[in-house]
Amino acid sequence: MFFLLVFLALTYQTEQVIPQRDKRELLSDPKVIAGKKLWETNNCIGCHTLLGEGAYYAPELGNVVKRLGGKEAVKAFIQSRPKEGVPGRRSMPQFNFTEQQLEEIASFLEYVGQINTAKWPPNIQG
Ligand code: HEC
């Protein structure tokens, strides 16, 4: 009985804490929602990880806005990928996003960067 009560108390506490930790209020921003959709429909996770989940081929993107020094730098990177790729390796594709789509995907990545992950990843390289 005692452990059942501990279990229920911890479940309740988790339910209270998770929405704050995830900054869910920011998920009402239409740009973030549209960016999440772009993230999903373009299979970014097929190469990248996001907060540790995904493929380990390309850099972690949970902290990329911080790492590259802001949203504009992230947009510039995504936009500047060569169409023909980088010779000799499977590189980041050119997605031909519009200015609005770049802003949306960068807003989504900025949102992810604000989630409280208890200091994970441990260093800026991710
Ligand atoms: C085919 C694999 C692949 C896919 C799919 C892919 N990327 Fe990448 N991405 C890479 C690679 C590889 C790099 C490392 C730089 C390079 O070689 O071009 C990279 C680098 C990046 C960087 C810079 C990271 C840094 O730390 O410098 C950003 C931002 C990025 N990708 C965003 C995205 C987004 C957003 C999507 C989905 C719309 C996406 N990528 C889909 C392979 C991919």
Side-chain angles (χ1 to χ4, degrees):
M1 191 60 202
F2 172 74
F3 288 108
L4 182 65
L5 288 175
V6 170
F7 173 74
L8 290 175
L10 288 174
T11 304
Y12 177 76
Q13 198 259 356
T14 303
E15 288 297 320
Q16 299 304 303
V17 166
I18 281 181
Q20 298 163 21
R21 192 198 64 185
D22 292 357
K23 298 221 185 282
R24 290 197 186 159
E25 68 279 5
L26 294 177
L27 274 178
S28 57
D29 181 342
K31 277 199 299 194
V32 174
I33 296 168
K36 182 171 185 289
K37 186 105 192 156
L38 286 173
W39 172 265
E40 288 161 0
T41 52
N42 288 284
N43 193 28
C44 310
I45 207 125
C47 291
H48 290 275
T49 53
L50 194 65
L51 303 183
E53 298 287 341
Y56 293 99
Y57 180 68
E60 159 68 37
L61 294 184
N63 58 358
V64 73
V65 171
K66 214 161 132 196
R67 183 166 62 245
L68 297 189
K71 257 164 80 175
E72 290 309 313
V74 170
K75 286 162 68 172
F77 179 89
I78 296 172
Q79 196 177 27
S80 69
R81 290 308 84 200
K83 282 200 179 8
E84 60 286 359
V86 179
R89 56 186 289 250
R90 183 115 171 82
S91 58
M92 165 90 177
Q94 171 54 258
F95 287 98
N96 295 313
F97 287 144
T98 62
E99 178 55 35
Q100 187 187 342
Q101 288 174 320
L102 285 168
E103 175 63 26
E104 290 165 352
I105 190 88
S107 299
F108 171 65
L109 292 173
E110 186 183 43
Y111 154 73
V112 175
Q114 291 172 45
I115 293 174
N116 176 353
T117 54
K119 300 198 178 18
W120 195 95
N123 57 47
I124 195 70
Q125 277 76 34

